[in-house]
Structures are given as C-alpha cells and as structure tokens.
Amino acid sequence: MKKILLPILFLFTFAISNTNAQLAVGSTAPNFTVTDINGQSHTLYDYLDQGMAVYVDFSATWCGPCWNYHQNHTLANIYNKYGPDGSGQVMVLFLEGSMSTGTAQLMGQGGGTLGNWVEGTPYPIIDLQSTNIVNDYQISGFPTVYTICPDRKIVLNGAFNQS
C-alpha cells in the first residue's frame, strides 16, 4: 500500500503545484520598461533585440525561498560571466513583485524583509510600483524566474509557488 500511496501523493502534489497560472514555455513574453533602484531604465525588448537572453526573477523581500535562491548567487554568477561586463550574452533583472514592500526592505531595513537584497547584487534590482507586470506575467507565487530568448519566447520558467 505504501508503495502505491507515495507515487499517487507525488502526482497529486505535482498537479496541484502546476495549476497556478503562469506564462507557458513557448509563449511570447510581454514587453516592459522599468526603472531600477539606481534610476536606470530597462526595456525587455531592447535587451532581446541586442541578442541577449534575459532572466527575469520575480521575488519578494519577505519570501524565504526567494531569499534562499538569491543567497545561492546563481543569477549573480550567470550575470558576472555572461552579462554586459562578461560575454554580453545575457541580462538579469530582479523584480521585487510584492506591492506591500519597498526600497527600504530591499536594503534590509524595517519589517517585511529577510535581509539586504542589494548588497553584492551585480544586476539591476527593480522595486515594482504597479501590479501590471506581475499580472502580465501571471505571477502566482514567488519566486518565479523566466528565461526569455532573443526571439521573445519564454524557454524556461520556474515557478516555486511559495507566496
């Protein structure tokens, strides 16, 4: 009985975790223009038109799995090696997608944050002030990371659904 129950439980959990809406692999990524916390403007399609793949990380400062993912430096390592100061093949954008937090929380100040997200982060950090991009990308949980190719197609998405 135990041998049967475990696979059924796994399939049920997998099915539940994948019922949350998100943009599908192969779909066209919606364009956006955002301003990072340093005042620099970033337009998704401009990077794609330059031939770069773009990693878009939707996270929240209060999200434990987001903090753990951020602290493993995967995106920082990719950015350092393949970003504008490396081979120039990719761009990484961090979008703080929770409307209940702000720049202070990104700096690790006040409540609603697990630490300083800015310190040591080499790629642009954007504090979203509107839900439009979150809605356009159908973010149903944090962290959610999209990989977008220069043809504007989503080739990978990782929705951790931990919000």
Side-chain angles (χ1 to χ4, degrees):
M1 178 72 170
K2 202 183 245 184
K3 289 181 181 181
I4 294 172
L5 187 57
L6 190 57
I8 291 172
L9 182 60
F10 173 78
L11 289 174
F12 179 75
T13 302
F14 181 77
I16 295 282
S17 69
N18 285 308
T19 59
N20 293 321
Q22 62 188 20
L23 294 178
V25 169
S27 63
T28 300
N31 193 23
F32 59 79
T33 298
V34 292
T35 301
D36 69 27
I37 60 172
N38 296 314
Q40 297 278 356
S41 181
H42 303 274
T43 300
L44 175 64
Y45 282 9
D46 287 352
Y47 291 120
L48 299 175
D49 290 345
Q50 293 172 34
M52 294 180 165
V54 179
Y55 294 88
V56 182
D57 176 9
F58 289 91
S59 288
T61 60
W62 46 259
C63 168
C66 301
W67 179 248
N68 292 338
Y69 182 65
H70 185 73
Q71 289 299 298
N72 79 22
H73 306 289
T74 299
L75 292 177
N77 293 337
I78 290 170
Y79 183 83
N80 287 331
K81 187 169 185 175
Y82 301 105
D85 292 336
S87 68
Q89 296 171 290
V90 303
M91 176 50 93
V92 176
L93 299 171
F94 177 97
L95 281 70
E96 206 302 335
S98 174
M99 299 302 115
S100 64
T101 59
T103 304
Q105 284 80 18
L106 284 166
M107 305 277 191
Q109 302 165 359
T113 186
L114 296 173
N116 188 335
W117 297 75
V118 176
E119 185 177 345
T121 302
Y123 47 85
I125 296 175
I126 293 92
D127 180 18
L128 292 178
Q129 300 297 313
S130 155
T131 59
N132 292 348
I133 297 171
V134 171
N135 291 339
D136 288 347
Y137 277 79
Q138 301 176 16
I139 304 303
S140 60
F142 299 114
T144 296
V145 180
Y146 286 103
T147 306
I148 306 164
C149 279
D151 66 358
R152 300 180 179 173
K153 300 295 183 195
I154 294 171
V155 294
L156 180 66
N157 60 30
F160 297 80
N161 300 320
Q162 298 292 323
S163 63

